[in-house]
């Protein structure tokens, strides 16, 4: 087999065989195929796409390029949830204890934040002592004891993806459905869960800008699940404004805690209940979505999900006094609330820009090696569709610098777009696909 022939085949829009795809991934791993040839093949894939079988074969080859996590020592059906990345997305911190308290099992591996999107691990590390580096046995023990755990992804998981992702980043080949789907699914499948719920974010603050491409990505990933005999389902959810009101590490943990105490923002609660319902169906705890919704709601309202949060945080070494009294979590030294300078209906709240603002305040990373400030971030006081008067609260900025620059204040104001006429509220869940 020869890599030049494989590149030429994809250039001519022909279908690659399983063996050819495996040959490519093997060549990446043993470094017999140089980066310029892989880059060329990545571009041919980006331009011509891949068939369902090719995507399944690529995912499988990538999946076995590193460690495969064996979770068979965990009793029951393990369900995982993966979000394609948004702003203000603290869903996993609610879903772990909510699904576990309702009888499901969540063994989740998460990542860190980069650029405008935050990462669940960084958020959880706002809690003093919380250990995201459990070894495999400790991870299994916590899940068996509590019903949920969230840890960092092992460095050895899907090694080919690390190489391919950094090549894609510098060769304008990130935006390929085949490559995104195989990258995400190879990691999810190697992480060992039996069922996966994908939360595909659509909108200004997300990878997928419109519903058609979101739908295509979701069904491609579901197809990979079918190819490899896993139950994969998807929700398409709106990222045309940040999720909930809080952006920033400890601020998002506080919003997740509030939600588990039945005092969180309604749109965020709705997403948590809907996704929990699907996960409970996948875990065979309930027979259908409606039953799942009833059970999830009852588990939340009864306080059982909050109790489970405390058990889980304690099991991973976190300081539960900070959960019971969120004033003890890290807070920035300074706060400034900006007031609306005009009256009107809010038409857009620019999620990606707000994510970048939070990053510039120190809440996120520009480079993987950057340190995180857990206390800084943003709290929104308005949502799309709301009417504001002059001087109504717009946003509070939590910052640690002595002075907040005019540039940052202007950036915050620019994230709110007004309309003179009424605007509809945003639907949180756009579609469910299974
Ligand atoms: N997330 C991933 O893990 N991979 C992609 O290609 C895009 C988003």
């Amino acid at each position: 087999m020869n890599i030049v022939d494989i590149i030429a085949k994809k250039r001519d829009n022909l279908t690659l065989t399983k063996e050819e795809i495996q040959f490519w991934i093997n060549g990446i791993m043993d470094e017999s195929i140089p980066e310029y040839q892989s880059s060329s093949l990545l571009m041919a894939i980006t331009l011509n796409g891949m068939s369902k079988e090719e995507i399944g074969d690529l995912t499988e080859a990538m999946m076995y390029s590193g460690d495969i996590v064996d979770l068979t020592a965990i009793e029951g059906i393990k369900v995982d949830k993966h979000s394609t990345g948004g702003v203000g997305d603290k869903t996993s911190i609610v879903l772990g204890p909510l699904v576990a308290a309702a009888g499901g099992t969540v063994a989740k591996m998460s990542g860190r934040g980069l650029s405008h999107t935050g990462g669940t691990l960084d958020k959880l590390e706002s809690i003093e002592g919380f250990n995201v580096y459990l070894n495999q046995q400790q991870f299994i023990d916590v899940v068996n004891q509590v019903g949920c755990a969230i840890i960092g992804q092992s460095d050895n998981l899907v090694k080919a993806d690390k190489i391919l992702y950094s090549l894609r980043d510098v060769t304008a080949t990130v935006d390929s459905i085949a490559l995104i789907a195989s990258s995400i699914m190879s990691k999810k499948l190697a992480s060992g869960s039996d069922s996966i719920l994908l939360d595909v974010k659509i909108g200004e603050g997300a990878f997928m800008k419109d519903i058609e491409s979101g739908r295509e990505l979701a069904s491609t990933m579901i197809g990979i699940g079918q190819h490899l005999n896993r139950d994969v389902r998807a929700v398409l959810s709106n990222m045309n404004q940040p999720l909930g009101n809080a952006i920033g590490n400890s601020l998002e943990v506080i919003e997740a805690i509030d939600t588990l105490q039945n005092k969180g923002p309604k749109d965020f609660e709705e997403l948590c209940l809907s996704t929990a319902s699907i996960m409970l169906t996948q875990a065979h705890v309930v027979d259908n979505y409606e039953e799942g919704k009833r059970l999830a709601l009852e588990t939340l309202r009864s306080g059982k999900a909050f109790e489970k949060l405390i058990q889980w945080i304690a099991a991973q070494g976190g300081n539960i006094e900070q959960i019971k009294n969120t004033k003890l979590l890290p807070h920035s030294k300074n706060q400034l609330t900006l007031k609306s300078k005009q009256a009107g209906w809010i038409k857009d709240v620019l999620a990606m820009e707000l994510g970048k603002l939070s990053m510039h305040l120190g809440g996120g990373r520009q480079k993987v090696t950057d340190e995180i400030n857990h206390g800084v971030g943003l709290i929104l006081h308005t949502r799309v569709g709301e009417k504001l008067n002059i001087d109504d609260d717009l946003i509070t900025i939590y910052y640690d610098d002595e002075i907040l620059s005019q540039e940052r204040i202007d950036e915050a104001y620019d994230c709110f777009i007004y309309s003179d006429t009424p605007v509809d509220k945003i639907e949180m869940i756009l579609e469910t696909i299974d």
Side-chain angles (χ1 to χ4, degrees), residues 315-367:
Q316 285 196 234
N319 177 357
I320 56 170
E321 295 313 314
Q322 292 182 317
I323 308 299
K324 294 180 185 162
N325 175 6
T326 54
K327 289 201 178 70
L328 300 174
L329 281 163
H331 279 81
S332 65
K333 288 196 220 107
N334 306 307
Q335 296 176 19
L336 174 73
T337 298
L338 305 184
K339 307 278 184 182
S340 179
K341 292 196 233 175
Q342 63 186 97
W345 283 266
I346 297 292
K347 183 158 117 349
D348 280 309
V349 180
L350 303 182
M352 189 183 286
E353 297 309 315
L354 287 164
K356 285 186 193 152
L357 177 58
S358 173
M359 175 186 77
H360 288 135
L361 293 170
R365 293 186 183 81
Q366 264 162 309
K367 315 186 287 304

Side-chain angles (χ1 to χ4, degrees), residues 165 168 179-180 183-184 187 207:
Y165 200 89
R168 286 167 59 205
L179 296 175
I180 295 175
S183 160
I184 293 177
K187 286 176 285 194
F207 258 115

Side-chain angles (χ1 to χ4, degrees), residues 252-426:
E252 292 190 42
V253 170
I254 294 170
E255 190 162 85
I257 296 171
D258 285 347
T259 303
L260 286 162
Q261 290 181 305
N262 295 297
K263 44 185 194 184
K266 284 296 143 207
D267 62 346
F268 177 56
E269 181 186 277
E270 185 200 331
L271 180 68
C272 292
L273 288 171
S274 302
T275 41
S277 318
I278 301 171
M279 288 168 81
L280 289 169
T281 317
Q282 290 179 291
H284 298 185
V285 173
V286 293
D287 289 333
N288 57 51
Y289 178 76
E290 282 66 36
E291 252 184 67
K293 197 121 191 208
R294 267 197 301 281
L295 179 61
L297 188 63
E298 183 198 303
T299 309
L300 187 64
R301 295 288 180 257
S302 66
K304 285 186 203 147
F306 180 65
E307 276 168 37
K308 185 59 79 182
L309 171 76
I310 295 198
Q311 275 177 37
W312 162 45
I313 299 297
Q316 285 196 234
N319 177 357
I320 56 170
E321 295 313 314
Q322 292 182 317
I323 308 299
K324 294 180 185 162
N325 175 6
T326 54
K327 289 201 178 70
L328 300 174
L329 281 163
H331 279 81
S332 65
K333 288 196 220 107
N334 306 307
Q335 296 176 19
L336 174 73
T337 298
L338 305 184
K339 307 278 184 182
S340 179
K341 292 196 233 175
Q342 63 186 97
W345 283 266
I346 297 292
K347 183 158 117 349
D348 280 309
V349 180
L350 303 182
M352 189 183 286
E353 297 309 315
L354 287 164
K356 285 186 193 152
L357 177 58
S358 173
M359 175 186 77
H360 288 135
L361 293 170
R365 293 186 183 81
Q366 264 162 309
K367 315 186 287 304
V368 268
T369 47
D370 288 347
E371 288 280 319
I372 290 263
N373 179 334
H374 290 101
V376 299
L378 306 162
I379 295 281
L380 306 176
H381 300 295
T382 189
R383 319 286 299 148
V384 170
E386 280 178 9
K387 183 163 189 282
L388 286 192
N389 293 313
I390 291 177
D391 276 347
D392 279 351
D393 287 355
L394 196 60
I395 184 169
T396 301
I397 305 178
Y398 290 73
Y399 63 102
D400 264 353
D401 293 342
E402 286 302 303
I403 297 169
L404 185 63
S405 69
Q406 191 56 42
E407 192 191 344
R408 296 281 172 255
I409 295 176
D410 293 343
E411 278 169 12
Y413 270 118
D414 289 346
C415 291
F416 297 88
I417 315 291
Y418 291 73
S419 156
D420 293 335
T421 49
V423 174
D424 287 341
K425 295 213 154 107
I426 280 184

Side-chain angles (χ1 to χ4, degrees), residues 1 17 75 127 130 140 167 202 227 232 236 241 258 263 296 308 322 346 379:
M1 224 174 269
T17 63
E75 299 133 29
I127 306 165
F130 190 92
I140 289 170
L167 271 184
I202 317 267
H227 188 85
V232 180
L236 306 187
Q241 67 181 353
D258 285 347
K263 44 185 194 184
K308 185 59 79 182
Q322 292 182 317
I346 297 292
I379 295 281

Side-chain angles (χ1 to χ4, degrees), residues 70-301:
D70 180 4
L71 297 181
T72 46
I74 298 177
E75 299 133 29
I77 299 174
K78 279 80 65 187
V79 279
D80 192 0
K81 191 246 14 163
H82 177 81
S83 152
T84 57
V87 176
D89 191 353
K90 67 288 287 175
T91 319
S92 298
I93 304 173
V94 174
L95 280 178
L98 175 57
V99 171
T105 305
V106 182
K108 185 164 174 50
M109 291 186 194
S110 276
R112 297 199 177 270
L114 192 59
S115 183
H116 68 286
T117 55
T120 302
L121 298 186
D122 299 320
K123 293 171 199 180
L124 286 168
E125 282 179 345
S126 306
I127 306 165
E128 195 178 71
F130 190 92
N131 184 7
V132 299
Y133 295 112
L134 303 182
N135 64 33
Q136 189 148 333
Q137 191 54 50
Q138 291 167 322
F139 179 50
I140 289 170
D141 289 346
V142 173
V143 181
N144 275 336
Q145 179 200 330
V146 180
C148 66
I150 300 183
I151 59 164
Q153 207 170 273
S154 132
D155 280 347
N156 293 329
L157 207 74
V158 189
K159 287 183 169 173
D161 184 61
K162 293 196 177 62
I163 299 168
L164 282 175
Y165 200 89
S166 50
L167 271 184
R168 286 167 59 205
D169 218 15
V170 292
T171 55
T173 53
V174 170
D175 287 344
S176 145
I177 298 254
L179 296 175
I180 295 175
S182 51
S183 160
I184 293 177
M185 288 304 291
S186 57
K187 286 176 285 194
K188 286 287 111 185
L189 295 165
S191 306
S193 277
D194 305 301
S195 304
I196 298 155
L197 175 62
L198 301 162
D199 179 3
V200 178
K201 302 286 185 199
I202 317 267
E204 180 268 331
F207 258 115
M208 298 291 124
K209 303 291 175 207
D210 55 70
I211 187 131
E212 288 75 27
S213 47
R215 214 177 264 145
E216 193 185 339
L217 177 63
S219 40
T220 304
M221 293 194 284
I222 290 171
I224 295 172
Q226 283 160 353
H227 188 85
L228 294 166
N229 282 323
R230 304 276 182 104
D231 174 4
V232 180
R233 306 184 197 189
V235 291
L236 306 187
S237 70
N238 209 320
M239 202 19 83
N240 274 320
Q241 67 181 353
L243 186 54
N245 299 325
I247 304 168
N249 299 287
S250 70
L251 293 172
E252 292 190 42
V253 170
I254 294 170
E255 190 162 85
I257 296 171
D258 285 347
T259 303
L260 286 162
Q261 290 181 305
N262 295 297
K263 44 185 194 184
K266 284 296 143 207
D267 62 346
F268 177 56
E269 181 186 277
E270 185 200 331
L271 180 68
C272 292
L273 288 171
S274 302
T275 41
S277 318
I278 301 171
M279 288 168 81
L280 289 169
T281 317
Q282 290 179 291
H284 298 185
V285 173
V286 293
D287 289 333
N288 57 51
Y289 178 76
E290 282 66 36
E291 252 184 67
K293 197 121 191 208
R294 267 197 301 281
L295 179 61
L297 188 63
E298 183 198 303
T299 309
L300 187 64
R301 295 288 180 257

